[in-house]
Amino acid sequence: MNKIVTVKNLTGQDTYHIIRQTGEESYTSFPIQADNPNWIALKTAILEDKAQLQDADGNTMTAEQAKDFVKELP
Amino acid sequence: MSYLGNTPTTQSFISGTDYFNGTGAQTAFTLSRTVASVNDIQAVVNNVVQVPNDAYTISGTTITFTSAPSSGTNNVYVRYLSTTTQAITPSQNTVSWSTLDSNVQGDLGISFKNKIINGNMVIDQRNAGASVTINSAAWTYVTDRFCFLGQATDGVFTAQQSSTSPAGFNNSLLVTVTTADASIGASQIYTLRHTIEGFNTADLNWGTANAKTVTLSFWVRSSLTGTFGGALNNEGTRSYPFTYSISAANTWEYKTITIPGDTSGTWGTTNSHGIRITWGLGVGTTYSGTAGAWAGSEYFSATGATSVIGTLNATWYITGVQLEVGTQATTFTTAGGSYGAELALCQRYYFKKGPQASSDVRYGIGFSASGSTTTAYINVTLPVNMRTGPTSVDWNNTLALWAGGTNFQVTAITITSSGASVTDCLLTCTTSGITGEKAFQLVAWSSGGGFLGLGAEL
């Protein structure tokens, strides 16, 4: 599952990241940025109904909610 | 007048006769020419023609008689029956790869010709041989530089580095179907992919009239037989689907595919993706195209290719992957030429620190400084210049910030925006209960398995 989290950067601004659990105790994260290949692939998969998205509280978005959400992101 | 082969004037027969004096004791005589066979000469003793092999043998310029010719003057003579031996210099562009002796082919296995990194599947930084389940539409790396795409529903397969390999190799990449998908949707894709960075394909001149032909070669083995497929593409607008056949189940077979350079489309020539190579494991019709021709679409495989994912427990292995300029598949070599060089090439795209040994209770990954009560920053120096500033970070939940005998478990690690470069990466560790502006060490606090990985994959 792909969870969106917010992390403050060095200047105190909120930045968005995806955290994905990849194993029983392992994770990967990547920033939501227009040129990030991991984000590009995930965004494409969400728009093609091939991946799901969770909000920061762990609630799984519906496919339509996820699509609408990612369309607003870079 | 034109002619084929060597110059007639030097290739034609030149007659000749050597005369010797028999002594009754001497059996070996030195000829004026080198001959290759007893049949290339006629030896005569006392005007009696001698029987080749029985009466005499030849070695280079030495003729040796079984019995010493009797004494006499010029009573032994040798007449030459074949053309003279000559050194032949082949004309330019007349010696092909297949003409060369196999040992010479091996000696000419020059490094840096192979554009595939980790084509022999030896390096597996992420998983160290462990099996990985592919059950999502996220590209998932198994052995370095090779990643899989699956589906969140329907078919599932595992992938892992394997020690089953053809002669001359130690490893391969193994796929095993654990949940079959016998009815693949039009847009569904199960595939293996390797991406070559644009810097390493720029010399091919693809997208121009001077596009160079390349040859893809690899070893493959499967529990299935039939015609399988794959493709080269630029991710989006240009693709070259190809097929290869596997004729015997569970047997390694060597495959070569020659691809004419693409004179159209846009192909990356810097640090973005250059050429993507995919091997279809089950690809829907939307992403399958006609084999053997360039097309203006995104394809991952060839139309009608055998679906590996369609058969439960089916296996498929691959190793020895090589992509090189030219029409001939030559002897496999790694891109770097040595294990260390190959690892460094892999680290341009992924670098893993750890995992720590099981005895390392506090394996130190690096030092950090807290920025608030919930965050700390750690700067990681990269072992090689990466393709770009790291774009992803991997970790496991044994990591903690440690200071003064207290562990603060890290709940998330993210790349700090504007903090990533090709030589260093600034990471934000999220935790709780720490004191701001204090130094910590990022450690794996339980025994075994702690790691940090940074990715800059294409």
Side-chain angles (χ1 to χ4, degrees):
Chain A
M1 186 58 74
N2 304 287
K3 184 176 180 179
I4 291 183
V5 299
T6 306
V7 179
K8 290 194 182 303
N9 66 11
L10 291 172
T11 59
Q13 295 175 313
D14 285 339
T15 58
Y16 293 96
H17 300 258
I18 295 291
I19 294 181
R20 176 187 298 153
Q21 187 159 4
T22 54
E24 191 174 340
E25 294 185 330
S26 57
Y27 304 84
T28 189
S29 79
F30 50 87
I32 296 177
Q33 293 175 340
D35 59 350
N36 186 291
N38 304 286
W39 169 241
I40 293 169
L42 176 60
K43 186 175 181 179
T44 302
I46 290 170
L47 294 175
E48 293 179 351
D49 289 330
K50 293 179 178 177
Q52 293 181 302
L53 204 57
Q54 281 184 342
D55 64 21
D57 297 323
N59 301 312
T60 302
M61 299 181 188
T62 66
E64 291 309 313
Q65 286 174 331
K67 286 180 187 177
D68 291 341
F69 188 77
V70 300
K71 284 176 183 173
E72 300 300 318
L73 296 172
Chain B
M1 186 179 79
S2 61
Y3 56 87
L4 292 174
N6 297 293
T7 307
T9 54
T10 58
Q11 186 66 32
S12 62
F13 172 73
I14 301 173
S15 63
T17 303
D18 288 343
Y19 293 92
F20 304 100
N21 299 328
T23 64
Q26 183 179 354
T27 56
F29 299 86
T30 301
L31 304 173
S32 61
R33 300 180 189 174
T34 299
V35 292
S37 162
V38 292
N39 298 313
D40 290 344
I41 61 169
Q42 183 183 61
V44 179
V45 178
N46 298 326
N47 293 320
V48 176
V49 175
Q50 303 297 296
V51 179
N53 291 317
D54 287 347
Y56 65 91
T57 57
I58 285 291
S59 177
T61 59
T62 301
I63 180 171
T64 304
F65 289 94
T66 306
S67 300
S70 59
S71 297
T73 301
N74 292 337
N75 64 326
V76 178
Y77 59 91
V78 174
R79 299 178 63 209
Y80 293 95
L81 305 177
S82 67
T83 55
T84 55
T85 302
Q86 59 182 296
I88 299 174
T89 303
S91 302
Q92 282 190 327
N93 302 319
T94 61
V95 179
S96 66
W97 177 259
S98 58
T99 306
L100 298 175
D101 178 86
S102 60
N103 291 323
V104 177
Q105 290 177 347
D107 291 340
L108 290 175
I110 304 165
S111 295
F112 312 119
K113 69 181 179 185
N114 189 357
K115 295 184 178 297
I116 305 292
I117 297 172
N118 199 31
N120 57 357
M121 311 296 173
V122 166
I123 298 171
D124 185 11
Q125 290 187 83
R126 293 173 179 82
N127 307 298
S131 177
V132 178
T133 299
I134 309 297
N135 58 358
S136 74
W139 290 100
T140 304
Y141 281 84
V142 182
T143 50
D144 278 53
R145 306 296 296 120
F146 286 84
C147 62
F148 289 92
L149 184 69
Q151 296 295 310
T153 57
D154 300 336
V156 179
F157 59 94
T158 61
Q160 67 183 120
Q161 182 191 52
S162 168
S163 59
T164 298
S165 60
F169 294 90
N170 291 327
N171 295 104
S172 65
L173 184 54
L174 162 65
V175 169
T176 305
V177 176
T178 55
T179 302
D181 181 358
S183 181
I184 299 172
S187 64
Q188 287 189 312
I189 302 167
Y190 301 87
T191 192
L192 168 65
R193 184 180 79 181
H194 180 97
T195 302
I196 308 171
E197 187 177 346
F199 277 132
N200 297 331
T201 58
D203 63 308
L204 300 179
N205 297 321
W206 284 19
T208 78
N210 299 316
K212 294 179 182 176
T213 296
V214 297
T215 295
L216 175 69
S217 56
F218 55 92
W219 286 88
V220 66
R221 164 182 166 147
S222 177
S223 59
L224 307 175
T225 60
T227 301
F228 296 72
L232 277 69
N233 67 55
N234 68 349
E235 190 176 85
T237 58
R238 298 294 295 169
S239 301
Y240 185 94
F242 63 81
T243 59
Y244 62 93
S245 63
I246 296 180
S247 56
N250 301 315
T251 304
W252 284 105
E253 297 183 14
Y254 181 61
K255 306 299 172 188
T256 67
I257 297 130
T258 296
I259 299 115
D262 186 19
T263 56
S264 300
T266 301
W267 294 86
T269 56
T270 59
N271 68 339
S272 63
H273 61 270
I275 297 174
R276 295 200 193 275
I277 305 172
T278 56
W279 289 264
L281 303 172
V283 178
T285 55
T286 301
Y287 295 106
S288 298
T290 303
W294 282 104
S297 303
E298 184 175 33
Y299 294 137
F300 292 81
S301 190
T303 302
T306 299
S307 167
V308 177
I309 196 73
T311 302
L312 181 64
N313 298 324
T315 57
W316 182 86
Y317 298 81
I318 190 169
T319 193
V321 184
Q322 182 159 276
L323 184 79
E324 59 196 303
V325 175
T327 59
Q328 182 68 47
T330 63
T331 307
F332 175 85
T333 62
T334 55
S338 70
Y339 179 85
E342 198 76 353
L343 176 60
L345 291 177
C346 291
Q347 288 176 329
R348 178 171 171 80
Y349 307 93
Y350 186 82
F351 146 62
K352 189 172 185 178
K353 201 169 170 59
Q356 93 273 26
S358 58
S359 58
D360 292 338
V361 177
R362 285 196 178 84
Y363 169 76
I365 290 176
F367 290 97
S368 62
S370 56
S372 70
T373 57
T374 58
T375 58
Y377 302 102
I378 176 172
N379 189 70
V380 179
T381 300
L382 308 176
V384 300
N385 284 18
M386 297 187 82
R387 180 188 66 83
T388 183
T391 54
S392 67
V393 54
D394 300 341
W395 77 96
N396 74 355
N397 63 6
T398 69
L399 298 192
L401 296 169
W402 180 74
T406 303
N407 289 324
F408 300 90
Q409 185 172 0
V410 171
T411 55
I413 301 179
T414 52
I415 294 171
T416 308
S417 295
S418 75
S421 77
V422 297
T423 58
D424 299 87
C425 184
L426 187 63
L427 300 173
T428 301
C429 301
T430 301
T431 184
S432 61
I434 60 175
T435 304
E437 298 180 355
K438 186 175 181 181
F440 292 89
Q441 185 176 196
L442 180 64
V443 298
W445 56 272
S446 64
S447 58
F451 71 89
L452 183 76
L454 291 169
E457 295 284 2
L458 289 155

